[in-house]
Amino acid sequence: MATHPDPPPNAETVTRESLANRKGYNDRFLGTAVPLPVPADPGIETVILPYTNFSVVFRPDRKLAAATAVTIDGANLIDVPRNDDWRFDPRLPEAQQAGHPIYQDNPLDKGHLVRRLDPVWGTEASTADQDTFHYTNAAPQMDIFNQGKQLWQGLENFLLEHAENFHRKLTVFTGPVLEDSDPPYRGIKVPLRFWKVAAFMQDGGLAATAYVLDQSPDLTKDAAAQAMAEAARAGDPPPLGAFRTFQVPVLDIADLTGLDLGPLPAADRLPTGVRTARPWTLLESYNDITMPTP
């Protein structure tokens, strides 16, 4: 079992005042408006938290993000040393955030939603790097490192390289699929699936592709439910499985999450025939990804 050490002291004190000038996600970064994803149900409370080159749409009731949005400028990325200095966001009560105790003495990792490398560009690259280490940008993921997780973590690089042929900018939306049935653990419900939508410009128009990471236990539905219940009674982390990464229709992300994805479903470049014949394609390598051709 992995043991995560106590978080190091903050390199800088983060206060409401120090975060006040964060501009957050730029919805016109690609040249056309791509709004932040928000719940389609107006009764679901969210808080918009702007950071440097990205924003988090936070669900206080779940202590996790509903969605994140980051702008990636491939021409101006900067190599910044990793700091691993996780901290609470002072703009929210700590009790509303899934902090270090969720991840302590168990095999759960603080999974970045906005990947650390993605917003680290431009004159505020170092600040962007530090901003990604807020607990509001994390969600519990198993620490198993396998091909499925490698694919998930490398999608932005793959997509940026592809989109670079048409435009050197990329916008990526990521979040957990927040289900009422997610297994409880240490005061939160642990998401079993995560989603990602990448948007870029192609041939003068908006293009989008979508993906799902599934860490559900590799069991039948009934056996999984029983294993989850037994773990909850014992106070153990849920018995999550190996990572499986799928390419899916963008509209499926909206249906799964209940989020309003604005123009993204209509911009889906997954061919209609593929959506019908095999809407969820298991990815075993980047060669399995269906991408639009110019």
Side-chain angles (χ1 to χ4, degrees):
M1 177 177 293
T3 300
H4 301 283
D6 289 335
N10 288 350
E12 63 171 311
T13 300
V14 178
T15 64
R16 284 175 175 267
E17 290 73 23
S18 68
L19 293 172
N21 65 345
R22 301 299 198 262
K23 297 177 182 177
Y25 167 70
N26 177 1
D27 65 1
R28 291 191 172 271
F29 181 73
L30 298 179
T32 188
V34 186
L36 275 172
V38 294
D41 180 353
I44 296 177
E45 178 191 359
T46 58
V47 178
I48 308 301
L49 299 170
Y51 296 101
T52 305
N53 297 333
F54 72 97
S55 291
V56 170
V57 182
F58 196 76
R59 282 267 305 261
D61 63 319
R62 289 294 301 261
K63 303 182 181 180
L64 296 170
T68 63
V70 60
T71 54
I72 307 172
D73 188 340
N76 293 295
L77 291 171
I78 295 175
D79 185 13
V80 173
R82 184 184 178 103
N83 69 69
D84 281 294
D85 181 18
W86 288 95
R87 73 277 300 269
F88 289 102
D89 188 312
R91 295 172 293 188
L92 289 174
E94 291 185 6
Q96 291 182 356
Q97 303 175 56
H100 182 68
I102 303 298
Y103 306 93
Q104 192 168 18
D105 299 324
N106 59 37
L108 296 177
D109 272 350
K110 303 177 184 78
H112 273 84
L113 296 175
V114 170
R115 195 177 61 148
R116 183 188 75 87
L117 299 175
D118 289 352
V120 182
W121 56 268
T123 59
E124 298 180 292
S126 294
T127 302
D129 171 77
Q130 293 171 21
D131 280 357
T132 65
F133 286 92
H134 283 90
Y135 287 119
T136 48
N137 184 44
Q141 295 181 348
M142 285 295 289
D143 62 3
I144 300 170
F145 190 81
N146 59 22
Q147 190 174 29
K149 191 171 182 180
Q150 281 181 293
L151 280 170
W152 182 257
Q153 291 179 331
L155 270 174
E156 284 95 333
N157 283 342
F158 174 84
L159 295 167
L160 184 61
E161 181 178 345
H162 179 86
E164 198 169 19
N165 295 324
F166 317 108
H167 200 288
R168 290 194 60 93
K169 293 181 177 180
L170 187 72
T171 295
V172 176
F173 306 89
T174 306
V177 179
L178 299 176
E179 303 272 15
D180 290 340
S181 59
D182 288 336
Y185 179 63
R186 294 184 179 177
I188 69 164
K189 290 185 176 182
V190 177
L192 300 182
R193 292 184 290 184
F194 294 82
W195 60 273
K196 188 183 301 291
V197 178
F200 51 94
M201 298 300 292
Q202 178 176 308
D203 301 329
L206 183 66
T209 57
Y211 308 87
V212 168
L213 175 75
D214 193 327
Q215 60 175 354
S216 302
D218 191 14
L219 301 168
T220 66
K221 185 174 181 179
D222 290 344
Q226 181 178 348
M228 296 287 186
E230 291 174 353
R233 285 193 294 269
D236 295 331
L240 304 178
F243 293 89
R244 297 180 299 279
T245 301
F246 299 85
Q247 183 170 8
V248 307
V250 177
L251 186 59
D252 282 13
I253 303 297
D255 291 341
L256 274 175
T257 62
L259 293 170
D260 181 350
L261 298 182
L264 295 173
D268 195 346
R269 294 302 177 96
L270 191 64
T272 303
V274 174
R275 292 185 226 173
T276 303
R278 49 187 182 94
W280 282 46
T281 302
L282 179 64
L283 303 180
E284 297 180 350
S285 74
Y286 296 121
N287 292 331
D288 297 329
I289 297 175
T290 300
M291 292 295 293
T293 55

